[in-house]
Amino acid sequence: MTNPTTESKSAEIRLTSSAFDQGASIPSVYSCEGDDVSPDLQWSGAPVTTRSYALVCEDPDAPRGTYIHWVLFNIPGDAVELNRAVPSVPELPSGARHGRNTAGDMAYAGPCPPPGNPHRYFFRLYAVDISLNLPAGITKAELEKAMNQHIVAQGTLMGTYKRDKA
């Protein structure tokens, strides 16, 4: 499948977190070694045509290929942030829905690489010009297919995480 982010020219969203800076280490509280809760995220710069947002967090450095840590979609188009510790429920009160991560859970799964070199974790936020008529529990691939030709802006925040012992 073609990468949905390259289907069309899209605007840049500024995606940040108070938990870590671009390229910096993600604090352990957001990992399997801590509370395993999602970090807060803030964004700006989405076009007025945005109807919803989708978020994917993935680790391309995982030993068996890219590991999907979080899929969340139908975040309301007027939202500008996600609070820390997004609940692990299929559908949030806002209407946002969780997709499945690589472990098969409808939840955020924090960094948990094998001991050794640090891994990179990419939080990718997509502004979409439609609300996605998809059920909770979809995969990243199903989300990408549904967003195809509907991404109007995107932003990425990358953090790293390293475990010293198993």
Side-chain angles (χ1 to χ4, degrees), residues 36-105:
D36 208 11
V37 296
S38 60
D40 64 279
L41 296 169
Q42 300 81 37
W43 57 87
S44 61
V48 296
T49 55
T50 301
R51 295 291 167 259
S52 67
Y53 293 96
L55 178 72
V56 174
C57 177
E58 56 192 354
D59 169 10
D61 304 319
R64 294 189 182 109
T66 300
Y67 191 100
I68 309 304
H69 285 265
W70 199 14
V71 176
L72 186 65
F73 64 97
N74 277 354
I75 301 164
D78 60 354
V80 294
E81 66 181 345
L82 285 174
N83 292 329
R84 178 184 186 274
V86 170
S88 298
V89 295
E91 187 166 339
L92 301 171
S94 68
R97 296 178 184 147
H98 273 108
R100 292 200 185 276
N101 60 31
T102 297
D105 299 323

